[in-house]
Amino acid sequence: MLYRMLSGLDPPPVVALNTAIALGRISGPEAAMSALDQLADDTKLLRYRPFHIARAITLDELGRTAEAEDAYAAGLECPGNDAESEYITARITDLRR
């Protein structure tokens, strides 16, 4: 409910991303993926590592492993820290098993 209220106030892209993630926890990965797909053209989010991680996790939940791997790889190309990079690399390795 709070994300809906924030969304009505011309939210920044990160609020829209968080709304999509929350929607996925409430309504399932299909709903999250639909919301994330609507954000895929936002240039700010395309440079935001957590966006790609959220997409990758959601794609993995949907059983779309190859696409999840691609989303994680896109995340690695965004600015971030070593801990995030290690997490992403480990997830890619897990997906390849």
Side-chain angles (χ1 to χ4, degrees):
M1 180 169 37
L2 293 176
Y3 281 119
R4 285 186 194 153
M5 290 170 59
L6 282 171
S7 295
L9 301 172
D10 191 26
V14 173
V15 171
L17 171 60
N18 292 341
T19 302
I21 293 167
L23 178 65
R25 297 301 148 236
I26 294 167
S27 302
E30 295 87 3
M33 197 71 246
S34 178
L36 290 168
D37 283 344
Q38 292 177 18
L39 302 174
D41 292 332
D42 188 301
T43 56
K44 291 179 182 174
L45 288 178
L46 290 176
R47 294 186 311 263
Y48 187 57
R49 188 176 266 189
F51 171 71
H52 296 287
I53 293 171
R55 286 193 78 249
I57 290 169
T58 304
L59 288 163
D60 188 29
E61 290 172 350
L62 291 168
R64 295 163 57 180
T65 307
E67 292 171 88
E69 185 177 334
D70 290 344
Y72 277 125
L76 277 176
E77 295 179 17
C78 297
N81 61 52
D82 291 341
E84 291 171 340
S85 297
E86 290 173 14
Y87 168 79
I88 292 170
T89 301
R91 293 298 299 140
I92 290 171
T93 299
D94 289 344
L95 288 173
R96 290 180 179 170
R97 290 183 185 167

